[in-house]
Amino acid sequence: MYFLRDEQLVIAHREVTGPAVLSGALTELLAAPTADEIADGLHSEIPAGTELLGVNLVDGLATVDLSSEAEGGGGSLSMTARIAQIVFTATQFPNVDEVLFWLDGEPVTFFGGEGIVLDEPVSRNGIQRTFTGGLLFDTPAHGATVRSPFVVTGEGDVFEGQFAIEVWADGVQIDTVAPVTAGAWGNWADFTTTVRLDDVSGPIQLIVRDGGGCGTDPECPPVVETVLPLVLAPLTAHERSWVRSPGRNERELHRQQVAVPPGPVASTPQQP
């Protein structure tokens, strides 16, 4: 499911059992972040007390019926953020393309006191990029301690399907991982890449800048930065030799990384 940190969506994990994993994921989203997630800076804009009254999935369209608490309080930013959380949580499943919102058993025309028009289905393309940038990191976890080499995963929708990850330490860019392949042209897709850093330890940042391929024209939207802070543990002499040895495959790299593992992932969703 998807919560927020500093007004940007982030991925969180819950264990959801089938067959109705779509309903289960939305129910977990409405339950709000855990104490540990709150301590890690996550929050939800969905008001407490919001209930899931029903979900109907037909031909990629998920009709999500929520209690009226869903539109209570908050301004336009809060309203659009809670819509983003629900849409991204529902459309993580391959058989869900877009979400149609209902409240208390009735279709929605305007959402909240700000009067946000919500009378048509919403896909990920309908969510403001300020909430997502071009990608969302999944693992390693925010603030995790890792050892080189480590694997980075997430999902993205980036210009022409490729992007670069900048690696920064002490205010200096020390490396670039590129190209990394993800989705494009409105299609979000998973990505996996490996970061190798020698002779570096301590706090680092992975930064991806999303300009949407617009360039530097003044009319272009602002570049959105997605930042993942990590702590790079120093390598032992044996590990340093291992990193520099050729011919290691990706399975070995996965075994060697010391990042916080992701939580359980819901199985392939079935129709609720």
Side-chain angles (χ1 to χ4, degrees), residues 16 82 101 149 153 175 211 213 224:
V16 177
R82 62 189 73 170
F101 286 84
T153 68
D175 200 2
V224 179

Side-chain angles (χ1 to χ4, degrees), residues 19-82:
V21 292
L22 172 57
S23 298
L26 291 170
T27 298
E28 288 292 331
L29 173 67
L30 300 182
T34 64
D36 287 343
E37 289 165 340
I38 292 172
D40 192 35
L42 302 191
H43 71 280
S44 176
E45 286 295 328
I46 300 171
T50 300
E51 296 181 4
L52 181 66
L53 303 181
V55 179
N56 185 41
L57 178 60
V58 178
D59 296 331
L61 174 63
T63 300
V64 176
D65 188 6
L66 303 170
S67 63
S68 57
E69 287 86 352
E71 62 174 351
S76 59
L77 181 62
S78 176
M79 295 294 171
T80 52
R82 62 189 73 170

Side-chain angles (χ1 to χ4, degrees), residues 133-144:
L135 67 86
L136 301 172
F137 287 113
D138 191 358
T139 62
H142 183 273

Side-chain angles (χ1 to χ4, degrees), residues 5-227:
R5 178 187 288 114
D6 298 330
E7 298 182 357
Q8 281 194 302
L9 287 183
V10 294
I11 300 171
H13 291 275
R14 293 285 189 283
E15 183 176 1
V16 177
T17 57
V21 292
L22 172 57
S23 298
L26 291 170
T27 298
E28 288 292 331
L29 173 67
L30 300 182
T34 64
D36 287 343
E37 289 165 340
I38 292 172
D40 192 35
L42 302 191
H43 71 280
S44 176
E45 286 295 328
I46 300 171
T50 300
E51 296 181 4
L52 181 66
L53 303 181
V55 179
N56 185 41
L57 178 60
V58 178
D59 296 331
L61 174 63
T63 300
V64 176
D65 188 6
L66 303 170
S67 63
S68 57
E69 287 86 352
E71 62 174 351
S76 59
L77 181 62
S78 176
M79 295 294 171
T80 52
R82 62 189 73 170
I83 292 169
Q85 288 183 251
I86 294 167
V87 169
F88 265 74
T89 296
T91 57
Q92 69 181 294
F93 300 111
N95 58 346
V96 182
D97 299 319
E98 50 190 1
V99 175
L100 183 64
F101 286 84
W102 284 33
L103 291 176
D104 288 338
E106 298 292 337
V108 174
T109 302
F110 299 101
F111 187 69
E114 300 295 318
I116 295 175
V117 178
L118 202 59
D119 58 348
E120 294 185 356
V122 183
S123 69
R124 289 192 172 194
N125 290 339
I127 301 302
Q128 296 178 17
R129 298 284 281 199
T130 52
F131 288 114
T132 63
L135 67 86
L136 301 172
F137 287 113
D138 191 358
T139 62
H142 183 273
T145 297
V146 296
R147 292 184 187 274
S148 179
F150 60 93
V151 175
V152 179
T153 68
E155 55 184 304
D157 169 22
V158 295
F159 180 65
E160 295 186 340
Q162 294 186 332
F163 65 97
I165 298 177
E166 301 173 7
V167 184
W168 288 71
D170 295 325
V172 176
Q173 184 176 347
I174 60 173
D175 200 2
T176 301
V177 181
V180 183
T181 301
W185 314 117
N187 298 308
W188 286 76
D190 294 342
F191 69 83
T192 300
T193 193
T194 300
V195 178
R196 298 174 176 85
L197 299 169
D198 295 343
D199 303 318
V200 178
S201 62
I204 62 172
Q205 290 182 319
L206 306 185
I207 300 178
V208 176
R209 307 178 197 276
D210 174 40
C214 186
T216 58
D217 189 284
E219 298 299 320
C220 289
V223 174
V224 179
E225 291 186 356
T226 302
V227 181

